[in-house]
Amino acid sequence: MEAADVFLPVIAWCRTRQSQDSQAEARRQKRRLMLLAFQRLRLKKLRETWRLREKVFKRSKLRRLCSHDAWMKAITHQFLRDHRRQKPKVWLHPRTSDWWENTAATFTDHEWLQHFRVSRETFSYLCATLNPQLKRQDTNYRLCIPLEKRVALTLYKLAHPCDYRTVADLFAVGVASVCHCVHEFCTVVIEVLKPQLVVTPNTFQLENIEECFHHTYQIPQCIGVLDSMNITISRPPHLNSEKPDRESYLAILFQAVVDDKGLFWDLSMSCPTWVNDNNGELLVCEDFSTRMHNVCRTDNSCVVIGDAGYPSKNWLLKPSTNTSGLTAEQELLNTQIIAARSVAHYAFERLNGRWRCLSRRNDCNVEIVKDMVETCCVLHNLCEKNNDMCLPDWIGQEPLQTVDENPQKNGDAESLDDLLQLIQDSAE
């Protein structure tokens, strides 16, 4: 009993202590759980706070970006509106265009013809016909060259033996702009107007030309007169041939056939070659000879009149060079051929008179020179069909008189009348 009495309090105390420890551990576990729950709640609140702040930041950033874009658009619109029509300080060199805008606008018809070689009606026709190909639009950086000015400066360049800088100063544009306008105008004229104005006559037109030559010069089966001229050019860089002698110069051989009215209906140009005026021999381009052979037909029912220096062709009628042993009929034929060749002679004179760029050395590219020559021929036919005047001072002689008009005003016309009268007397 005494032993039991001793151990019972100890056992009771151990149980009490164990119970207290269990309660203390339960309280500690509860505190840890509460602390963990609190930390989780706090972390959750922090995450929600950061998410809310991130949304607010993104919204504010987007708002700032949108406001910045709107502000930039407004500034850009204001700048373009204020400076759209102002002359750029870098892109445009200040020039004065008083001559074209003020002086040329007050020209009389005679003064207009002197400067541009075409009448105002023909000029308006060119602008209206070539408008779809030549018209340009203004940009934000500069104003385009108006269509009328583009046509006028090109006509002035073709009509006067001046360089590009002179035309640029006169029309208040750049030298490169003048060059571009001239080349573009020539290309468009060849593309649009040449198929209408420089074409091979059809059968009905060939019969009318034959009848006119036969009635005027008593030469049957003649459908045109062949003549040529040399277009002097600068030496191209790809040309390797040397100059044969001091008198030779580099040129392009230009050949054309003229009808009874002095209009060109076939054009041909050769490659650049050295030419000597002392050499009386004339050449005929191969492609040109082929076309004439096809037009005159294989049965030689039609002929083209040419100079005595041309080589013999089955389609070419030329005067005899040996005049010592000619019969009366052969002398009469020579006289008729010489009289008929005056048609081409006068046509080339009027061509050179109107477009003086053909009478000086051309420094442009060879292909551009050929385009300019073709353009001059097309414009010549257009002026002749519109009855535009060819002033006497352009060709250095008095106006040409027809056979029925008074021939006493011109020595050349008087000599032509003498030839025609001699032809008619001999035919009778």
Side-chain angles (χ1 to χ4, degrees):
M1 293 295 293
E2 296 179 359
D5 293 337
V6 173
F7 287 105
L8 285 175
V10 174
I11 295 172
W13 178 86
C14 289
R15 288 179 178 178
T16 305
R17 186 66 181 178
Q18 185 178 4
S19 176
Q20 292 177 355
D21 292 341
S22 298
Q23 293 177 0
E25 182 66 24
R27 288 193 296 270
R28 286 194 296 269
Q29 184 68 20
K30 185 178 180 180
R31 284 197 299 269
R32 283 196 297 267
L33 293 177
M34 292 178 61
L35 181 61
L36 183 60
F38 176 76
Q39 291 178 352
R40 289 179 178 175
L41 180 61
R42 184 178 180 184
L43 181 60
K44 185 178 180 180
K45 291 183 177 180
L46 288 175
R47 288 178 178 176
E48 291 179 356
T49 304
W50 280 109
R51 288 176 183 174
L52 181 61
R53 290 182 179 180
E54 185 177 0
K55 290 182 180 180
V56 174
F57 177 75
K58 288 182 178 180
R59 291 177 181 176
S60 61
K61 183 179 180 180
L62 181 61
R63 191 180 297 109
R64 288 196 302 269
L65 290 175
C66 294
S67 61
H68 181 267
D69 293 342
W71 180 77
M72 287 300 297
K73 288 182 180 179
I75 293 297
T76 305
H77 176 74
Q78 184 72 19
F79 175 80
L80 294 178
R81 188 185 65 180
D82 295 342
H83 300 275
R84 184 181 296 273
R85 296 305 179 190
Q86 291 184 3
K87 293 183 178 180
K89 298 180 180 179
V90 178
W91 297 94
L92 183 63
H93 179 73
R95 296 182 177 92
T96 303
S97 58
D98 292 339
W99 186 86
W100 167 249
E101 295 178 357
N102 300 325
T103 306
T106 60
F107 280 165
T108 61
D109 293 341
H110 180 78
E111 292 174 339
W112 182 274
L113 193 66
Q114 281 279 15
H115 285 86
F116 302 109
R117 297 299 197 265
V118 297
S119 62
R120 294 184 184 271
E121 293 76 12
T122 303
F123 181 83
S124 301
Y125 171 79
L126 287 173
C127 294
T129 306
L130 306 180
N131 180 49
Q133 289 79 15
L134 293 180
K135 187 177 181 181
R136 297 294 180 266
Q137 295 182 352
D138 298 337
T139 63
N140 294 332
Y141 294 98
R142 65 171 63 191
L143 301 177
C144 70
I145 302 177
L147 174 64
E148 292 77 9
K149 180 184 282 191
R150 296 164 67 90
V151 176
L153 67 88
T154 304
L155 294 176
Y156 191 92
K157 176 64 177 69
L158 298 177
H160 300 275
C162 57
D163 53 9
Y164 287 113
R165 184 167 298 278
T166 302
V167 182
D169 295 339
L170 197 61
F171 286 86
V173 295
V175 177
S177 299
V178 175
C179 184
H180 179 73
C181 290
V182 171
H183 300 170
E184 191 176 34
F185 177 85
C186 294
T187 303
V188 174
V189 167
I190 295 173
E191 177 184 352
V192 177
L193 295 180
K194 184 181 178 182
Q196 305 175 13
L197 299 174
V198 183
V199 293
T200 303
N202 53 34
T203 304
F204 178 74
Q205 294 172 340
L206 290 176
E207 292 177 355
N208 291 337
I209 295 175
E210 290 181 21
E211 182 180 354
C212 182
F213 274 105
H214 185 266
H215 175 74
T216 307
Y217 305 103
Q218 281 72 49
I219 300 179
Q221 301 177 347
C222 177
I223 61 173
V225 183
L226 172 64
D227 207 342
S228 61
M229 63 178 295
N230 294 321
I231 309 297
T232 309
I233 62 173
S234 299
R235 182 169 181 169
H238 59 80
L239 186 65
N240 297 325
S241 61
E242 298 294 336
K243 187 175 182 179
D245 50 61
R246 296 182 60 184
E247 289 78 13
S248 299
Y249 57 92
L250 197 62
I252 296 175
L253 177 62
F254 165 58
Q255 295 175 336
V257 180
V258 182
D259 63 4
D260 57 297
K261 299 179 182 179
L263 302 179
F264 300 102
W265 61 265
D266 194 282
L267 310 175
S268 179
M269 278 169 282
S270 66
C271 298
T273 182
W274 295 104
V275 179
N276 193 335
D277 293 333
N278 297 327
N279 186 5
E281 297 182 359
L282 298 176
L283 301 176
V284 178
C285 301
E286 294 183 1
D287 58 340
F288 179 80
S289 178
T290 303
R291 291 198 303 271
M292 290 300 101
H293 181 76
N294 296 333
V295 173
C296 295
R297 298 184 287 273
T298 56
D299 56 354
N300 297 331
S301 59
C302 300
V303 293
V304 176
I305 295 176
D307 189 84
Y310 286 110
S312 298
K313 300 287 182 180
N314 56 356
W315 51 266
L316 184 62
L317 178 63
K318 59 181 184 176
S320 301
T321 55
N322 186 11
T323 58
S324 59
L326 297 180
T327 62
E329 291 78 7
Q330 291 174 338
E331 290 181 356
L332 176 61
L333 180 61
N334 274 9
T335 305
Q336 293 170 339
I337 293 175
I338 294 174
R341 286 191 64 249
S342 62
V343 177
H345 174 72
Y346 293 146
F348 272 80
E349 277 191 344
R350 294 166 76 87
L351 176 68
N352 284 316
R354 277 194 176 99
W355 314 113
R356 301 297 297 172
C357 67
L358 304 178
S359 60
R360 61 164 290 177
R361 188 181 69 176
N362 202 317
D363 298 332
C364 297
N365 184 272
V366 175
E367 298 301 325
I368 296 176
V369 174
K370 293 182 179 181
D371 291 345
M372 294 175 68
V373 175
E374 289 189 34
T375 302
C376 292
C377 294
V378 174
L379 294 177
H380 167 83
N381 285 5
L382 179 62
C383 293
E384 293 295 319
K385 288 186 177 182
N386 292 345
N387 296 323
D388 289 353
M389 292 181 58
C390 182
L391 301 182
D393 55 347
W394 296 352
I395 56 179
Q397 64 179 17
E398 295 296 324
L400 247 130
Q401 303 291 336
T402 59
V403 177
D404 297 332
E405 293 177 350
N406 184 13
Q408 297 181 358
K409 295 182 180 180
N410 190 321
D412 294 336
E414 188 173 356
S415 62
L416 177 59
D417 286 346
D418 294 341
L419 289 176
L420 295 176
Q421 186 65 35
L422 177 60
I423 293 173
Q424 294 175 359
D425 297 341
S426 301
E428 293 175 357

